[in-house]
Amino acid sequence: MLISMDPLVLAGVTIALLFNFVNGMNDAANSIATIVATRVLSPVKAVAMAAFFNLTGPLIFTTAVAKTIGKGIVDPAYLTTAVLLIGLSVAALWVFISSFAGIPISATHALVGGLVGSAAAYAGIGVIILPSVGTTLLLFMYSGTGAIVGMVLFSIVGRMRNEEAMLSLIAQGAFAGSVLSVPFVIITGILKISGLFAIVVFIVVSPLLGFLSGYLISLIFIRCFRKANPKKMNLLSKKLQIVSASFYSLGHGSNDAQNAMGIITAILIAGGVLQEFIVPLWVIVLSCAAIALGTLIGGWQVVKTMAKRITNLHPYQGFCAETSGGVVLSFITSFGVPVSTTHAITGSIMGVGASRRSSAVQWDTVRRIVTAWILTIPITALSAYTLYFVYLAAVF
């Protein structure tokens, strides 16, 4: 199949696999960070486990995320081979630079930015699939309503328990209500979002969901095992962490690992190799293999940041963080939304750390990570936009 392809299409497939390789150096490294940090598994065993579940994820959860990447961000009619190649190249370079610096970022958002920038340069901003003004306003309205409901509920609970720090409690209620209202209206079908809009929304929502679920799961775990023998609890946590790490890797495979799959399929369609958007099995296998290789060879800087520089993790905390991240990823993947596993697990790790005390989280490191998150889409979009015109000048 690969040998008989047009050279430009083959180059596109190669760059897409290179993107997944650097994805493995960054995003996929998150899926093994906690289990390596707590020394439950050796790095090589952790990578082998992650590779297996990254491959299994798309087969279990389908390839809805790949379809969103290939069809839901930019009008597919304008996804030429050149547009895809330039978007991919910029995304891969940004992820590589961030990985080298040990900063966990979203390969998904780097890819989205690259595609948006190169497509806009090719055919104008109108080719980007944007939401209606009404949908955007509804989202803010529901989020604001959720914040008010959260404030009221937390205020009632605070008065019942005679809490002294009411202002802090009310602020927490507003935060929780605002965050939880978004997935609630999506689950119930009250608000339907997709494509680029869904990706942008979950840039904010996924780390906050991770934080809340990580915080709550950690508190529940501590509550349930507060009287247990520490040695037995530690041993149990290590066994549970293998399960939770597998679950989280499955979530990563069902979402982030599909990015290159969607692009490769779009390239094959643009090159006339495929007639409809169905991800071939060989694309799934090669994409997952590229991710595993990237993690094994170069993912350790990001692992170090996630495992040690945000908060120090014990086995039970690793279990709670991975479970939280897996739940968030599985939930969002069910809607076919490409979300950052980095955002989900980083939020979960922060939530687990904060369950002990706020000072347990290294907030300076968090600020650096969040800054990189904010800059990812604008930088990759602008770079791809500029590079496309450089390409035109060179060709014509």
Side-chain angles (χ1 to χ4, degrees):
M1 174 67 77
L2 287 173
I3 296 173
S4 61
M5 285 181 190
D6 178 89
L8 194 59
V9 173
L10 186 59
V13 172
T14 303
I15 294 175
L17 292 175
L18 177 63
F19 170 79
N20 252 21
F21 176 81
V22 296
N23 184 356
M25 294 173 65
N26 200 294
D27 266 13
N30 301 327
S31 65
I32 65 168
T34 51
I35 202 165
V36 170
T38 53
R39 299 181 181 179
V40 173
L41 288 180
S42 68
V44 173
K45 288 181 180 178
V47 170
M49 178 204 71
F52 173 78
F53 286 102
N54 274 326
L55 176 61
T56 308
L59 302 176
I60 293 178
F61 285 89
T62 75
T63 52
V65 171
K67 290 177 182 176
T68 299
I69 287 289
K71 298 170 68 177
I73 297 167
V74 173
D75 187 333
Y78 298 96
L79 285 177
T80 65
T81 305
V83 166
L84 291 166
L85 283 174
I86 290 169
L88 268 173
S89 300
V90 168
L93 181 60
W94 178 248
V95 176
F96 176 77
I97 292 170
S98 302
S99 302
F100 186 77
I103 300 173
I105 63 156
S106 170
T108 300
H109 298 151
L111 180 57
V112 168
L115 289 178
V116 166
S118 58
Y122 169 62
I125 200 168
V127 303
I128 302 169
I129 301 173
L130 298 171
S132 65
V133 175
T135 302
T136 307
L137 291 175
L138 279 174
L139 178 72
F140 282 109
M141 185 186 76
Y142 290 132
S143 183
T145 303
I148 293 169
V149 171
M151 288 168 66
V152 171
L153 291 176
F154 274 55
S155 178
I156 292 170
V157 171
R159 285 200 170 92
M160 290 173 62
R161 297 178 60 179
N162 295 317
E163 294 281 351
E164 293 182 6
M166 283 298 292
L167 280 177
S168 175
L169 197 64
I170 291 171
Q172 291 174 36
F175 167 71
S178 177
V179 172
L180 295 175
S181 62
V182 175
F184 174 77
V185 295
I186 293 173
I187 291 173
T188 55
I190 297 172
L191 182 67
K192 293 184 179 180
I193 63 173
S194 59
L196 184 61
F197 185 51
I199 293 169
V200 172
V201 167
F202 280 100
I203 286 176
V204 178
V205 172
S206 62
L208 297 180
L209 276 178
F211 183 92
L212 284 175
S213 59
Y215 184 84
L216 291 173
I217 290 172
S218 188
L219 288 181
I220 292 169
F221 190 93
I222 292 169
R223 180 80 176 174
C224 291
F225 294 97
R226 66 187 185 280
K227 294 181 180 178
N229 181 287
K231 286 186 178 180
K232 288 183 178 179
M233 191 183 87
N234 196 50
L235 184 61
L236 174 64
S237 298
K238 288 184 175 183
K239 292 179 180 178
L240 288 173
Q241 204 180 347
I242 294 175
V243 177
S244 62
S246 302
F247 176 50
Y248 179 75
S249 293
L250 189 69
H252 180 271
S254 67
N255 201 294
D256 263 31
Q258 293 193 38
N259 294 337
M261 298 176 200
I263 293 300
I264 291 173
T265 307
I267 290 171
L268 295 176
I269 291 172
V273 179
L274 295 178
Q275 302 304 315
E276 56 182 329
F277 203 99
I278 298 176
V279 182
L281 180 61
W282 66 267
V283 171
I284 295 175
V285 173
L286 281 180
S287 296
C288 293
I291 279 188
L293 187 62
T295 304
L296 181 62
I297 292 175
W300 308 116
Q301 283 295 101
V302 174
V303 168
K304 191 181 294 182
T305 298
M306 297 294 291
K308 298 179 180 179
R309 292 173 185 163
I310 295 177
T311 188
N312 289 320
L313 292 171
H314 300 291
Y316 86 89
Q317 293 171 315
F319 163 73
C320 294
E322 289 158 355
T323 302
S324 168
V327 168
V328 172
L329 284 176
S330 299
F331 163 71
I332 298 174
T333 299
S334 65
F335 294 96
V337 177
V339 71
S340 169
T341 54
T342 302
H343 291 195
I345 195 64
T346 303
S348 298
I349 290 172
M350 286 190 289
V352 167
S355 68
R356 287 185 291 167
R357 61 188 184 281
S358 178
S359 60
V361 179
Q362 302 296 322
W363 295 107
D364 285 341
T365 300
V366 171
R367 276 190 286 272
R368 285 178 59 232
I369 293 171
V370 172
T371 300
W373 291 355
I374 295 169
L375 293 175
T376 292
I377 289 182
I379 285 180
T380 51
L382 183 61
S383 300
Y385 186 88
T386 305
L387 186 58
Y388 190 85
F389 286 110
V390 172
Y391 158 76
L392 287 181
V395 172
F396 301 104

